[in-house]
Amino acid sequence: MTSIAFIKGYHLPLIHKHWLFLVLMLSAITINSQESIASKLGYPADARLLIIHADDLGVAHSENAASIKAIEDGVVNSASVMMPTPWVLEVAEYAKAHPETHDFGLHLVLTSEWKNYRWGPVASIDKVPTLINEHGYFHAGCKPEASLEEVEVELRAQIDRAFAMGLVPTHLDSHMGCLMQSPELIEVYLRMGQEYKLPVMVSKAFPEELIKKYNVKVVLEEIVMILPKQFNEGLAAYYNEAIKNLKPGVTTILIHTAYDNDELKAMTIDHPEFGSAWRQKDYDYFTSEECKELLEKENIKLVTWRQLKEAYFSDK
């Protein structure tokens, strides 16, 4: 669950206003030496490619059901899974039933942000004491001062649990942007991708020296997500404009799809931003004919992290 801000044309993840989020991002950069991702995937170099990405799978049955429905019947074509959350087994079973077609990455988790609905680490709590509160849950917000060694222990535990459950991820990303709090955390994040041979969600606003150091092969043009102000002004209007204004290259739109039912209302109580009604509206838009027709009219090509993983990380 994140919001976004514009910094030199790039949409950076920011934590909710009640949480501290120190963004260490340098000026937007151009990776001139990087092969065109569009060409690598077989598209013209100026093609506008889009990943429509549902975050937070595993958090609730409502989130899982709506997201899978939006993938099967709508235009959502990718998602990421929170391994510490209560409903993750349901997603793992779906992934195992669709091993060659699912596009599920891992939404690496270091927080537990809801009021009465919490979770803790996958690793044993005695191994990650700086990541948890007095009750053994993750902290509600990002903690830049957390032990880097403990962060790495927990991230490895989450990734290893996915493989153990039979969920082979297509990519990695960061829940609430917690892994973008410092250069050192960014390095842990990028190192996980390098060691597990998985693409990591980064954009051209990441520090160039770290992109080079970890030989990051897939760098997105932009990461787009709707802000509360824009949501209140009109969700459909925001997404329509975002799609019309996509740049050549690969962009991802991060969304949160769930049903506005009793389960989600209870989970997101006292938290209307990214809450139950918000997630229903995301679902409604990305399963609508309006959205499908706009993508076709604008000649937007939908691509997946699976395609990127196969193009850049295949041993063939």
Side-chain angles (χ1 to χ4, degrees), residues 120-260:
V122 172
S124 175
I125 61 173
D126 64 299
K127 294 181 179 180
V128 291
T130 68
L131 304 187
I132 58 175
N133 67 13
E134 68 274 20
H135 303 301
Y137 297 123
F138 281 132
H139 300 289
C142 300
K143 294 289 183 181
E145 68 277 12
S147 161
L148 294 173
E149 292 77 12
E150 292 175 24
V151 168
E152 186 163 338
V153 165
E154 175 57 21
L155 298 187
R156 290 185 185 280
Q158 291 180 26
I159 298 169
D160 291 344
R161 171 177 279 187
F163 281 102
M165 286 184 174
L167 195 172
V168 179
T170 57
H171 63 286
L172 303 175
D173 61 62
S174 174
H175 182 55
M176 290 173 54
C178 290
L179 293 171
M180 289 77 169
Q181 299 291 301
S182 70
E184 294 78 15
L185 284 167
I186 293 172
E187 288 210 54
V188 174
Y189 178 52
L190 297 182
R191 188 161 61 248
M192 293 300 99
Q194 185 180 67
E195 294 186 12
Y196 285 91
K197 297 183 179 180
L198 292 169
V200 176
M201 189 180 290
V202 303
S203 81
K204 290 182 177 179
F206 272 64
E208 183 176 7
E209 65 271 20
L210 295 184
I211 288 176
K212 291 179 177 178
K213 178 179 179 179
Y214 289 95
N215 190 27
V216 178
K217 298 176 180 179
V218 178
V219 180
L220 303 177
E221 282 295 321
E222 292 185 317
I223 300 171
V224 178
M225 188 163 56
I226 191 169
L227 286 163
K229 178 178 183 293
Q230 296 157 335
F231 176 86
N232 292 331
E233 291 172 351
L235 176 143
Y238 172 80
Y239 286 133
N240 288 343
E241 286 304 305
I243 290 169
K244 290 175 183 177
N245 292 314
L246 290 178
K247 300 175 182 178
V250 183
T251 296
T252 187
I253 298 179
L254 303 182
I255 63 175
H256 302 81
T257 41
Y259 297 126
D260 184 16

Side-chain angles (χ1 to χ4, degrees), residues 2 20 61 73 75-76 78 91 101 111 113 120 149 154 180-181 218 243 247 254 256 264-265 284:
T2 51
L20 174 63
H61 173 65
D73 296 345
V75 297
V76 178
S78 186
V91 187
T101 57
T111 55
E113 64 273 22
E149 292 77 12
E154 175 57 21
M180 289 77 169
Q181 299 291 301
V218 178
I243 290 169
K247 300 175 182 178
L254 303 182
H256 302 81
L264 253 287
K265 287 174 180 173
D284 291 344

Side-chain angles (χ1 to χ4, degrees), residues 50-92:
L50 179 61
I51 302 170
I52 302 175
H53 189 272
D55 286 357
D56 292 3
L57 270 68
V59 74
H61 173 65
S62 172
E63 194 89 25
N64 295 347
S67 298
I68 289 170
K69 185 71 170 174
I71 289 168
E72 293 180 342
D73 296 345
V75 297
V76 178
N77 64 340
S78 186
S80 58
V81 183
M82 300 170 69
M83 295 310 298
T85 55
W87 278 87
V88 71
L89 278 169
E90 183 176 51
V91 187

